[in-house]
């Protein structure tokens, strides 16, 4: 394999990894963010306590989080095929990645929102603010730095999951590592995929830390 073929192969693998991670992160937050908010506000002594709903949602989140991603990846192949039209390739991998990350995001959001000072919420309630206003004007704005850190952690987790998707032909750097590094014993390609994954993870973590510090009022 020539140098240009290496560059082309790893370039496309990197693009596929970023594509899978970006779309899966977006989908995971689309469902995981409101789920995390509901878990917090329906908790006892919060703004809209609903014990049964909170228990059911909490159980669903715990059960789905208990399933190892590699098993989830294989178990939902029929669903992935129904949604994406195929079970192979980067687009198909977005489906299990998003489903695997939704409960993770929900717990991350829940942990962030629970950091909000109860005094601020009670003050908003005493002024007659609706639950929606408290969520959008108090809880979420106060936790943006923490939510950004959670976003970077989720993205890094999904980069790791995307590498696992290579086991079933999911595309990306993980796929290259398995096809060339494992099946063909090309250790140089294996090493390069590891280096690229480390670089991507470091960039995501650094960007998350920088944005969080920039927004956090406690550092000003």
């Amino acid at each position: 394999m020539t140098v240009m073929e290496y560059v082309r192969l790893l370039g496309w693998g990197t693009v596929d990894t970023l594509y899978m991670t970006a779309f899966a992160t977006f989908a995971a937050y689309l469902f995981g963010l409101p789920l995390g908010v509901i878990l917090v506000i329906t908790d006892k002594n919060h703004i809209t306590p609903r014990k049964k709903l909170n228990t059911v949602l909490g159980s669903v989140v715990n059960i789905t989080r208990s399933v190892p991603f590699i098993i989830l990846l294989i178990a939902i192949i029929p669903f992935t095929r129904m949604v994406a039209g195929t079970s192979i390739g980067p687009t198909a991998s977005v489906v299990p990645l998003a489903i695997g990350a939704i409960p993770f995001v929900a717990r991350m959001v829940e942990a962030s929102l629970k950091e909000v000072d109860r005094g601020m919420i009670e003050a908003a309630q005493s002024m007659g603010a609706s639950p929606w206003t408290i969520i959008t004007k108090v809880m979420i704005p106060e936790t943006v730095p923490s939510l950004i850190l959670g976003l970077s952690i989720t993205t890094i987790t999904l980069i790791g999951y995307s590498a696992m998707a290579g086991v079933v032909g999911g595309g990306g750097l993980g796929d290259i590592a398995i096809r060339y590094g494992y099946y063909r014993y090309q250790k140089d390609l294996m090493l390069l995929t590891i280096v690229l994954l480390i670089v991507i993870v470091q960039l995501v973590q650094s960007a998350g830390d920088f944005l969080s510090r920039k927004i956090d009022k406690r550092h000003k």
Side-chain angles (χ1 to χ4, degrees):
M1 188 177 282
T2 65
V3 174
M4 284 307 297
E5 286 172 330
Y6 270 81
V7 171
R8 193 177 300 113
L9 181 66
L10 291 170
W12 277 115
T14 303
V15 170
D16 285 345
T17 295
L18 295 176
Y19 164 78
M20 287 187 284
T21 304
F23 276 90
T25 302
F26 173 77
Y29 268 85
L30 189 64
F31 296 98
L33 179 60
L35 182 56
V37 171
I38 293 170
L39 282 170
V40 173
I41 64 173
T42 57
D43 198 7
K44 63 179 180 180
N45 301 323
H46 217 281
I47 56 176
T48 56
R50 299 285 190 280
K51 186 179 177 182
K52 287 184 180 177
L53 177 62
N54 186 273
T55 302
V56 170
L57 289 179
S59 299
V60 171
V61 168
N62 289 340
I63 290 168
T64 48
R65 283 195 67 192
S66 302
V67 181
F69 179 70
I70 191 70
I71 295 174
L72 175 75
L73 181 68
I74 296 167
I76 66 167
I77 281 178
F79 179 73
T80 300
R81 197 175 288 127
M82 186 178 72
V83 173
T86 176
S87 61
I88 299 173
T91 299
S93 296
V94 171
V95 178
L97 285 171
I99 291 175
I102 287 172
F104 181 77
V105 170
R107 287 301 186 200
M108 294 285 288
V109 170
E110 181 188 18
S112 296
L113 294 179
K114 282 185 174 178
E115 294 175 0
V116 178
D117 185 358
R118 287 288 301 173
M120 296 181 69
I121 295 174
E122 289 168 1
Q125 284 180 306
S126 67
M127 289 187 286
S130 66
W132 176 254
T133 302
I134 294 172
I135 293 166
T136 56
K137 302 293 185 185
V138 179
M139 294 172 65
I140 290 181
E142 283 296 316
T143 54
V144 168
S146 178
L147 290 173
I148 289 174
L149 284 178
L151 175 63
S152 63
I153 293 170
T154 302
T155 306
I156 289 168
T157 301
L158 282 172
I159 290 170
Y161 283 0
S162 74
M164 285 188 225
V167 173
V168 293
L173 292 171
D175 193 30
I176 293 171
I178 290 169
R179 278 194 291 130
Y180 291 88
Y182 182 66
Y183 291 118
R184 302 183 188 181
Y185 304 106
Q186 286 186 249
K187 294 179 180 176
D188 51 348
L189 262 174
M190 172 72 88
L191 183 62
L192 286 169
T193 57
I194 292 171
V195 170
L196 283 170
L197 285 169
I198 291 173
V199 170
I200 294 170
V201 166
Q202 292 302 315
L203 289 174
V204 171
Q205 185 67 64
S206 298
D209 291 344
F210 173 77
L211 282 174
S212 179
R213 281 198 301 271
K214 198 76 175 174
I215 294 171
D216 195 341
K217 291 178 284 189
R218 292 171 297 184
H219 292 283
K220 294 182 178 178

